[in-house]
Amino acid sequence: MRELTALLAVTIVATATLAVGAFGLRVSRTTSDFFVASRRVGPFLNASAIGGEYLSAASFLGVAGLVLLRGVDMLWYPIGWTAGYLLLLVFVAAPLRRSGAYTLPDFAEFRVESQAARQVASWLVCLIGALYLVPQFQGAGLTLSAITGAPTWVGAALVAFVVLVNVAAGGMRSVTLVQAFQYWIKLCALLVPALLLWLAWHHHGSPSHHLHSSDWVEPLRGPHATYLTYSLILATFLGTMGLPHVVVRFYTNHDGTSARRTTLGVLAMLSMFYLLPTAYGALGRVYASDLIGSGRTDSVVLELPERVLGGTGATLLTALLGAGAFAAFLSTSSGLVVSVSGVLSQDVLSRRFDSVTGFRIGGVVAAGGALVLAEGTQGLPVAHAVELAFAVAASTFCPLLLLGIWWRGLTALGAMAGMVGGGILSGTAVVAVMVGVHATGWAGALLAQPALLTVPVAFMTMVGVSLADRARVPLHVGRAMVRLHLPETVDVDRGSYAPMS
Amino acid sequence: MSDEPIARVRITSPRTRAARSRTRRSNAAEIDALTRLGEVYVQSLMRAQLRLAGYVVLLLAASIGLLPVVFQLLPVSHVHLLGIPLPWLLLGVAVYPWLLGLAWWYVRRAERNEAAFVDLVEHREDPA
């Protein structure tokens, strides 16, 4: 009965997504509907859409699991994922919209006027996209197995299938309204059970066993905790602006001013959402602490209703949570696969295939590759895998965006050197974690949270090489700065750059 | 004294309306031509916005950024508010309205900076 209800809920979400994809095929096939949307979509809807695409498996399941496992220090994850939008707001949002760039490789090409820099950025989009996709697929496998007992690959394959059908149909890309709904579905799917669970906990006399162990309740108790915390802060605060599926959404804003207001809206929506995982983590400590021993902390959100309430109510709530979780996997995976396959088709496959075929092949490569990786790296906590993607983004695209927008001296060579250097350093840590290297002491801390080292190195490389190469500052940097910073109401020449479509 | 006829010299004054309108360009045109003056205008806006962004980052670093150090140095874990340990209350709840407040303040100031820039650039186009 429980399995059936949950399965029904997941099927409804998957079918609805497929139906929307099929509908999207008819109404919107090209990037140009972003232009159409840009005239009609207001900041509120846009902010909901960004929230819908952004809140992934890591937010829906992973944070609660980490809080259950490791306590108060893990609250920095949701803080970082929210504060990242504050830094995006103050440094990037309006200029990025004004640049007219549709993707990060577009921005690299526009700003440093180099096809080679564009290529480097394209490969990085693929790398970050794949890193971010893996935990989505893992989360899907875990969810389906927790609520129905199916083997983990079934859920992962289901999400990959739905996303691929969507990408092949060309849907999802433009459906701002659907992504916006996804946010509210996710919020309700987490909020309603949380309230009921809290009431039940109160009814049980507010039990608090396991809540007082000092390792869990007090901050910074583990080895290297201060380093790890600051490194996590740096990665998440600076990584958000470099996520490929986030950047694309800024294009649907009408102008720089509305890009800022949209970002403010995103901050408000994330702030509401991220109050909830903490509650699940803490309740999990009371009712489901055995999950720590069995290594299944990521499924705490899904298991709580059954343990706290039982009966039909629990069945319905589990189904609701499962549906919300699948909404999270599907929306984030779709956004990522679309971004990655767009880049693959444009910059890697365009010489051999026409754009539509290239786009589809790109989608298959992206989703297939991530699926294989997801099966190969089971056991890595979902939220930590996502955090590594943030570390890579913070060590590559963050310096590109910050220096590109605010410093005239950036050259193509400098940008490439910084992206490659930061990418290799942070990528090494990612590979080490994925293949299961268990270093101890400082090496272990560095591999677990590389950002505090790799981000400054990437910045210094980009600045240093640009200074050495200053004879080759891009020709049109003056015009680029006019375009990036001047409000749209001032009637000036903004150059002729237009992204490939 | 030679007998050569003195070449006629035409003397014009630059202080005529026609001459002045030819040399004085609008600020938008200065920006379009990327003249020194045009660049100064663009840079003034960039500096104002970057300074504002810097304030936000400073406020962020001095508040949320210092929390780990505070937790390390002060025994705040034993302080309870509403039955919840202070670090949990700060990290789980209080940071979010603060982030939102900073963002709201930034958006207002950034829009004001841009409005001031638009005034500056377009005001001088009017005949003084």
Side-chain angles (χ1 to χ4, degrees):
Chain A
M1 178 59 201
R2 176 170 169 250
E3 285 80 5
L4 225 65
T5 319
L7 205 60
L8 189 70
V10 170
T11 316
I12 290 172
V13 169
T15 319
T17 312
L18 277 174
V20 165
F23 179 67
L25 175 65
R26 259 177 286 136
V27 295
S28 55
R29 207 188 299 240
T30 59
T31 51
S32 66
D33 44 54
F34 265 111
F35 291 99
V36 177
S38 72
R39 282 183 224 115
R40 277 187 260 145
V41 178
F44 178 77
L45 202 60
N46 237 325
S48 303
I50 292 178
E53 199 157 340
Y54 184 66
L55 291 170
S56 68
S59 304
F60 201 91
L61 303 176
V63 172
L66 279 179
V67 170
L68 162 63
L69 182 65
R70 281 153 61 191
V72 65
D73 285 343
M74 298 299 106
L75 298 182
W76 284 104
Y77 277 94
I79 292 174
W81 291 335
T82 312
Y85 276 94
L86 180 60
L87 294 183
L88 191 143
L89 168 69
V90 302
F91 288 115
V92 178
L96 182 68
R97 171 63 192 93
R98 286 174 180 147
S99 76
Y102 179 67
T103 63
L104 285 162
D106 282 345
F107 178 83
E109 184 192 6
F110 154 73
R111 179 57 184 80
V112 296
E113 298 166 29
S114 151
Q115 281 298 319
R118 183 192 175 90
Q119 293 286 330
V120 173
S122 296
W123 284 109
L124 279 172
V125 166
C126 296
L127 175 70
I128 295 168
L131 275 178
Y132 213 113
L133 265 175
V134 168
Q136 307 309 318
F137 288 174
Q138 279 177 348
L142 192 137
T143 304
L144 209 63
S145 120
I147 57 182
T148 70
T152 53
W153 64 266
V154 179
L158 176 68
V159 167
F161 173 75
V162 174
V163 168
L164 269 182
V165 171
N166 257 322
V167 170
M172 211 67 189
R173 167 170 233 175
S174 56
V175 192
T176 307
L177 198 64
V178 174
Q179 292 283 25
F181 271 127
Q182 298 266 25
Y183 168 78
W184 295 101
I185 289 175
K186 281 180 242 185
L187 184 69
C188 293
L190 214 53
L191 180 65
V192 172
L195 289 176
L196 292 173
L197 290 171
W198 182 75
L199 282 176
W201 173 73
H202 218 64
H203 189 69
H204 295 168
S206 313
S208 64
H209 30 276
H210 303 294
L211 284 183
H212 299 300
S213 105
S214 66
D215 280 348
W216 186 78
V217 77
E218 290 176 18
L220 306 171
R221 294 295 298 244
H224 309 296
T226 310
Y227 166 82
L228 289 174
T229 302
Y230 274 113
S231 199
L232 172 66
I233 288 175
L234 202 66
T236 49
F237 280 37
L238 296 178
T240 307
M241 64 180 74
L243 297 177
H245 62 304
V246 170
V247 170
V248 172
R249 280 259 154 239
F250 274 80
Y251 204 77
T252 52
N253 288 301
H254 179 66
D255 55 19
T257 308
S258 63
R260 278 199 208 104
R261 292 182 175 184
T262 295
T263 318
L264 183 60
V266 174
L267 266 160
M269 286 173 189
L270 295 183
S271 297
M272 266 195 285
F273 184 89
Y274 281 135
L275 297 174
L276 300 171
T278 315
Y280 279 90
L283 282 174
R285 193 81 184 172
V286 176
Y287 290 103
S289 57
D290 58 293
L291 290 176
I292 299 171
S294 59
R296 294 187 299 125
T297 48
D298 273 338
S299 58
V300 60
V301 168
L302 301 163
E303 302 220 355
L304 268 177
E306 191 67 33
R307 288 163 185 251
V308 180
L309 301 162
T312 321
T315 307
L316 290 176
L317 288 184
T318 309
L320 180 62
L321 285 165
F326 261 81
F329 312 140
L330 286 173
S331 55
T332 304
S333 313
S334 295
L336 285 164
V337 170
V338 165
S339 309
V340 172
S341 52
V343 163
L344 275 176
S345 72
Q346 223 170 56
D347 294 323
V348 184
L349 300 165
S350 62
R351 274 174 234 124
R352 261 166 278 170
F353 303 98
D354 67 276
S355 67
V356 175
T357 317
F359 192 71
R360 288 175 182 168
I361 295 175
V364 172
V365 171
L371 199 57
V372 171
L373 272 177
E375 274 309 295
T377 58
Q378 288 292 345
L380 192 65
V382 165
H384 185 61
V386 161
E387 196 270 324
L388 288 172
F390 275 81
V392 177
S395 317
T396 53
F397 285 135
C398 166
L400 174 76
L401 285 165
L402 289 190
L403 296 173
I405 290 171
W406 298 102
W407 186 46
R408 287 164 191 261
L410 183 71
T411 70
L413 201 63
M416 280 189 284
M419 283 192 287
V420 170
I424 288 177
L425 277 181
S426 52
T428 309
V430 171
V431 171
V433 169
M434 283 201 156
V435 300
V437 173
H438 286 291
T440 49
W442 271 107
L446 272 177
L447 284 181
Q449 304 282 2
L452 202 57
L453 179 76
T454 58
V455 173
V457 168
F459 267 100
M460 285 190 287
T461 312
M462 224 175 253
V463 172
V465 176
S466 291
L467 284 178
D469 186 41
R470 61 176 162 272
R472 286 188 288 166
V473 164
L475 270 180
H476 306 103
V477 62
R479 186 81 58 214
M481 288 300 165
V482 168
R483 180 181 183 130
L484 288 171
H485 294 284
L486 261 56
E488 285 85 348
T489 46
V490 181
D491 182 23
V492 288
D493 177 7
R494 288 161 197 274
S496 59
Y497 173 77
M500 292 197 261
S501 57
Chain B
M1 290 296 258
S2 73
D3 290 338
E4 272 178 47
I6 296 163
R8 183 179 287 193
V9 177
R10 179 172 297 178
I11 297 168
T12 56
S13 159
R15 295 166 178 255
T16 66
R17 199 162 277 191
R20 195 163 50 187
S21 75
R22 230 184 299 129
T23 52
R24 211 185 109 184
R25 294 193 278 192
S26 76
N27 292 321
E30 297 280 354
I31 292 171
D32 278 349
L34 297 174
T35 59
R36 262 241 190 88
L37 181 61
E39 299 263 350
V40 167
Y41 278 121
V42 176
Q43 259 168 21
S44 75
L45 175 65
M46 281 175 69
R47 288 226 177 99
Q49 299 290 47
L50 196 58
R51 200 176 310 128
L52 177 59
Y55 288 144
V56 174
V57 171
L58 268 181
L59 284 171
L60 187 68
S63 55
I64 295 177
L66 281 184
L67 282 181
V69 176
V70 171
F71 292 159
Q72 192 105 78
L73 297 180
L74 302 173
V76 279
S77 317
H78 305 295
V79 182
H80 284 63
L81 221 71
L82 309 165
I84 302 170
L86 193 58
W88 285 80
L89 211 56
L90 286 174
L91 297 180
V93 183
V95 291
Y96 293 105
W98 171 239
L99 286 173
L100 209 56
L102 281 177
W104 180 78
W105 179 75
Y106 169 82
V107 169
R108 270 192 39 178
R109 294 292 300 267
E111 287 181 4
R112 211 179 290 168
N113 282 349
E114 282 180 355
F117 176 81
V118 173
D119 281 349
L120 180 77
V121 170
E122 285 177 354
H123 178 70
R124 292 259 235 98
E125 277 182 338
D126 304 336

